[in-house]
């Protein structure tokens, strides 16, 4: 790929694919991103939408099925061997959701650890760690162990550790997930300050409080592609249940003839009828699309015929280009 000026991060047609049982799942399908040098990018979306998958690919932890990742003009998606090790060590710093601090080490020693692994002398690593802990407001906690610190303080130690080798790419996975309101404010200010010329910061979160800080917000929608499922037609008698509230499934259904009622079970054991669908209507799209349990029960109100499709086949049948567009034309979200 042609080299890019500065430290721009460019992701082109990135696809990550894996097999779950008999099905093919693509949390990322031809994903594209251009993050300019010095920018803070927020990846926003619910669990299962591909945020952590993308961070893993950017960090060189996961090898994408296809597509390219280029940072500062260097393609990192195909790195192997020593070049991959170099990228993981010097090219990227990762702030983990669960902090991942070593309990037996104090704050200074936790920050020093990756620098020592990279061959930096103990003296220089300690001096750098002290400087970074002061930068994140933890100079007075330098000799405290993780168990003696709050969640917000541990997260700040994790941020300092990620900065140890001054990487040009910082990745943070849900950095505010375990923090209370006061702790979040401090961490948000620090995260915003990490983005500057020569560095790109990418944060995966479901926390919309981070949106005002971002130079770019990328909303991700879960994409589950069950290619092994051939369309399946079912003949139903009146009263036959297609699926029950709380079930999980891989199919979206189109009514060929007859009618299907959608009911939700209340906490007191009674039912609430949400809709009665007729021939040509479809139902059950939200479960397969977002990997969620069914939110209602569906059953035939008369002899009926339905056909169940995988998300991919359903999209193709309706001529939908993007799986996320199913949501915008949805009739029943069950």
């Amino acid at each position: 790929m042609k080299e890019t000026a500065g430290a721009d991060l460019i992701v082109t047609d990135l696809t990550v694919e894996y097999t779950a049982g008999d099905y093919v799942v693509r949390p990322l399908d031809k994903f594209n991103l251009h993050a300019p040098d010095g920018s803070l990018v927020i990846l926003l979306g619910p669990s299962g939408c591909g945020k952590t998958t993308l961070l893993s690919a950017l960090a060189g932890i996961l090898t994408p099925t296809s597509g390219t990742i280029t940072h500062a003009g260097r393609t990192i998606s195909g790195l192997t061997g020593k070049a991959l090790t170099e990228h993981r060590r010097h090219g990227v710093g990762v702030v983990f959701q669960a902090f991942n601090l070593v309990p037996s080490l104090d704050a200074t020693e936790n920050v020093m650890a990756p620098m020592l692994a990279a061959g930096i002398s103990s003296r220089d690593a300690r001096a750098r760690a002290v400087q970074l802990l002061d930068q994140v407001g933890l100079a007075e906690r330098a000799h405290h162990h993780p168990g003696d610190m709050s969640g917000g303080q541990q997260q700040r130690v994790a941020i300092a550790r990620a900065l140890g080798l001054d990487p040009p790419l910082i990745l943070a996975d849900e950095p505010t997930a375990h923090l209370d309101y006061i702790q979040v404010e401090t961490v948000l200010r620090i995260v915003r300050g990490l983005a500057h010329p020569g560095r790109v910061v990418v944060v995966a979160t479901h926390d919309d409080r981070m949106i005002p800080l971002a130079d770019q917000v990328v909303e991700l929608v879960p994409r589950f592609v069950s290619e092994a499922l051939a369309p399946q037609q079912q003949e139903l008698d009146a009263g036959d249940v297609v699926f029950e509230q709380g079930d999980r499934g891989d199919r979206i259904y189109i009514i060929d003839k007859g009618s299907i009622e959608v009911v939700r079970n209340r906490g007191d054991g009674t039912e609430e009828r949400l809709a009665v669908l007729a021939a040509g209507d479809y139902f059950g799209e939200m479960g397969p699309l977002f990997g969620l349990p069914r939110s209602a029960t569906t059953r035939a109100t008369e002899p009926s015929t339905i056909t169940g499709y995988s998300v991919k086949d359903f999209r193709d049948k309706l001529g939908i280009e993007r799986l996320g567009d199913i949501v915008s034309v949805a009739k029943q979200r069950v």
Side-chain angles (χ1 to χ4, degrees):
M1 178 178 287
K2 183 178 180 180
E3 291 205 358
T4 304
D8 287 18
L9 173 66
I10 300 175
V11 181
T12 305
D13 290 337
L14 194 72
T15 297
V16 175
E17 179 180 289
Y18 61 88
T19 301
D22 295 328
Y23 313 123
V24 176
V25 180
R26 292 195 192 110
L28 294 173
D29 189 5
K30 295 184 178 180
F31 175 83
N32 292 281
L33 170 68
H34 182 187
D37 180 16
S39 64
L40 169 62
V41 178
I42 300 296
L43 305 176
L44 193 66
S47 298
C49 70
K51 302 190 304 294
T52 300
T53 298
L54 177 57
L55 292 187
S56 297
L58 294 175
I61 298 170
L62 180 153
T63 301
T65 306
S66 61
T68 59
I69 301 171
T70 301
H71 185 222
R74 183 188 188 196
T75 300
I76 61 178
S77 49
L79 296 177
T80 58
K82 291 183 179 180
L84 178 58
T85 300
E86 180 71 11
H87 169 67
R88 291 173 176 171
R89 183 169 290 171
H90 295 280
V92 61
V94 181
V95 181
F96 298 96
Q97 178 178 348
F99 315 140
N100 286 10
L101 301 179
V102 180
S104 61
L105 302 181
D106 65 24
T108 302
E109 292 165 337
N110 267 285
V111 177
M112 289 173 62
M115 292 185 276
L116 295 175
I120 295 176
S121 70
S122 178
R123 179 179 178 178
D124 289 344
R126 183 172 295 277
R128 172 72 171 157
V130 170
Q131 175 191 12
L132 289 170
L133 287 172
D134 182 61
Q135 182 178 326
V136 298
L138 287 178
E140 77 287 356
R141 293 281 183 170
H143 300 296
H144 286 68
H145 288 73
D148 299 322
M149 293 186 284
S150 68
Q153 290 169 342
Q154 292 184 64
Q155 189 63 285
R156 283 186 275 164
V157 174
I159 292 171
R161 180 183 57 188
L163 292 171
L165 296 168
D166 197 22
L169 178 62
I170 294 287
L171 309 174
D173 190 6
E174 300 285 2
T176 63
H178 302 294
L179 311 183
D180 62 29
Y181 181 80
I182 296 175
Q183 295 170 339
V184 164
E185 184 177 348
T186 301
V187 170
L188 292 182
R189 286 200 304 267
I190 293 172
V191 170
R192 175 62 259 185
L194 298 179
H196 57 69
R199 177 184 292 151
V200 171
V201 178
V202 181
V203 178
T205 186
H206 64 276
D207 189 345
D208 57 13
R209 290 173 295 185
M210 299 195 74
I211 292 177
L213 302 176
D215 298 302
Q216 183 179 170
V217 177
V218 179
E219 294 191 61
L220 295 175
V221 176
R223 298 183 177 189
F224 298 88
V225 185
S226 302
E227 296 183 318
L229 289 176
Q232 183 181 72
Q233 191 172 76
Q234 292 179 249
E235 299 290 338
L236 304 171
D237 293 325
D240 284 353
V241 173
V242 182
F243 55 74
E244 294 187 350
Q245 185 173 323
D247 287 350
R248 289 186 178 271
D250 298 287
R251 295 185 184 275
I252 301 171
Y253 297 91
I254 293 180
I255 304 172
D256 301 314
K257 68 176 183 179
S259 59
I260 301 292
E261 66 174 346
V262 181
V263 298
R264 183 162 292 153
N265 299 323
R266 297 193 180 100
D268 60 6
T270 60
E271 290 184 345
E272 174 190 8
R273 176 182 274 187
L274 302 179
V276 177
L277 308 178
D281 289 339
Y282 61 84
F283 61 96
E285 71 279 357
M286 296 302 285
L289 181 62
F290 288 93
L292 299 172
R294 305 293 193 181
S295 62
T297 296
T298 55
R299 58 175 173 249
T301 60
E302 60 181 306
S304 303
T305 302
I306 62 174
T307 302
Y309 297 89
S310 70
V311 172
K312 178 180 183 302
D313 288 339
F314 178 77
R315 178 193 62 187
D316 292 344
K317 183 175 178 63
L318 270 66
I320 296 174
E321 293 293 330
R322 296 166 56 87
L323 296 181
D325 293 341
I326 294 175
V327 178
S328 66
V329 297
K331 295 181 180 178
Q332 294 300 322
R333 299 188 174 189
V334 296

